[in-house]
Amino acid sequence: MSHISSYRANIKLENAIERGRPVEEDPGWEILDQAIWTTAEELNLDVSHSIRDYYGRSIYCDWSLSGPNVPRGIGVNVDRNTGEVVFVCDSYGGYERVVGEIKDRIVQNYLAICVTRALSALNYEVEVEEVPHPIEGKKVLVKGVL
Amino acid sequence: MPRRIDVEIGRNGEIKVEYSGFEGETCFEEKEALEKALKEMGLWAIPITIVRKTSSQISDEIGMEQEKRERVAHP
């Protein structure tokens, strides 16, 4: 028997926290870093550590992404107590759509890295394919064969 | 028949996982193992639907595999 499962994924870096270690030591921290840099490369954005609000005030973040379409930037923070990943931005003035696209892409890249690594860890031979999608931007297909 | 897992990752955290070639209930054991491995990386996969493949879908898979083998045997 085989089956098809569908999921809604949630990112939460709490493994290190549960062991009493700083969240920066969580395996997800490095994956999130990789997902952010991949997103920056794909969407031609700069990676830094601060965003600006509508009034020009600087706000520190664990990571931030900015570019011509999102000059104030979108920030990514990991809650040090819960491991929750929080996206921050001041989207006032019509940046909601582009900010949403960046957030979705970071999450998608994070999931793709995790699924690829998980299948490899389970000894599958893994192939990854990215397919452009008219509505979703791209779909990532990961195939594992044992 | 090789065991195979196909994962489709859409935007905004949507994942579809298709298990093929697993005998009996072993696909559910593999599902647990995959979910555990993902959780260790901070990815919580919350199941929305789980649909068992129909006998015709399974027959199609076996048929496709059979066809592949025949092609290899008689190039």
Side-chain angles (χ1 to χ4, degrees), chain A residues 112-113 115-116 126-130 139-143, chain B residues 9:
Chain A
I113 296 165
V115 169
T116 305
V126 184
E127 275 178 34
V128 183
E129 190 186 350
E130 292 191 358
K139 271 201 186 286
V140 183
L141 309 173
V142 185
K143 182 175 88 176
Chain B
I9 302 162

Side-chain angles (χ1 to χ4, degrees), chain B residues 2-74:
Chain B
R3 281 174 287 173
R4 182 175 157 158
I5 299 180
D6 288 287
V7 186
E8 186 180 304
I9 302 162
R11 82 186 225 194
N12 204 15
E14 296 155 0
I15 307 177
K16 189 176 134 192
V17 188
E18 181 173 355
Y19 298 81
S20 308
F22 289 85
E23 280 178 32
E25 300 291 305
T26 55
C27 62
F28 290 102
E29 289 166 20
E30 205 67 350
K31 171 185 165 289
E32 297 294 323
L34 178 61
E35 287 173 4
K36 185 170 177 277
L38 292 174
K39 199 172 159 186
E40 281 166 11
M41 288 183 269
L43 199 166
W44 299 71
I46 303 147
I48 300 171
T49 59
I50 298 172
V51 181
R52 286 174 184 267
K53 286 188 178 175
T54 61
S55 51
S56 70
Q57 283 175 310
I58 293 169
S59 303
D60 286 349
E61 278 172 19
I62 295 166
M64 279 163 63
E65 190 58 32
Q66 199 74 32
E67 197 182 324
K68 257 192 219 168
R69 281 187 194 165
E70 281 168 10
R71 276 190 200 150
V72 171
H74 308 286

